[in-house]
Amino acid sequence: MLVGIGSDLCDARRIETVLARHGARFEQRVFTARERAAAQRRQGNARLGTYAKRWAAKEACAKALGTGFAHGVFHRDMGVENLPGGQPVMRLAGGALARLQELLPAGYEARIFLTMTDEHPYAFAQVMITAHRVATA
């Protein structure tokens, strides 16, 4: 069952402006340690694209949760990680995870699907959250 869907388009030039103005303070407030490490391994537009895609993914996820960044849901509660094959996945913590649990019917578990892309200066992400009945033994 579909629980929520969200998408976001981000202009990487906005991220560049905020990084120039607030630097590490912005990075630490918005991005997880893993996300910051992924971005730091890149240079120039690739680095900006890494941050912009993750910003768009967080915005899309907040929309899929139905809250935006309110009701205890913060940017840092959502983190993009990559599976060994490169597929991006969204990991939730804190208020974002609590909100997800509120959305799920009893006896169901969530699956979060994430896709992201960038073509400088734009980054796009889409998140779909589905609920699946937990198998009982």
Side-chain angles (χ1 to χ4, degrees), residues 14-77:
R14 284 182 54 223
I15 302 298
E16 183 176 34
T17 299
V18 175
L19 283 169
R21 183 174 298 142
H22 301 288
R25 193 173 94 214
F26 169 72
E27 291 175 21
Q28 291 171 1
R29 193 179 120 233
V30 172
F31 300 101
T32 67
R34 288 182 112 174
E35 290 172 318
R36 293 191 309 270
Q40 294 306 321
R41 289 191 296 270
R42 293 169 175 82
Q43 301 295 318
N45 287 343
R47 181 173 177 261
L48 283 176
T50 298
Y51 277 132
K53 283 187 289 192
R54 281 152 181 79
W55 175 272
K58 293 165 188 283
E59 293 281 338
C61 189
K63 292 171 186 175
L65 290 170
T67 58
F69 291 100
H71 307 288
V73 175
F74 300 100
H75 286 89
R76 217 178 13 201
D77 290 342

Side-chain angles (χ1 to χ4, degrees), residues 97-109:
L97 182 58
R99 173 62 181 161
L100 177 61
Q101 295 303 320
E102 290 172 8
L103 293 173
L104 294 175
Y108 282 75
E109 64 184 11

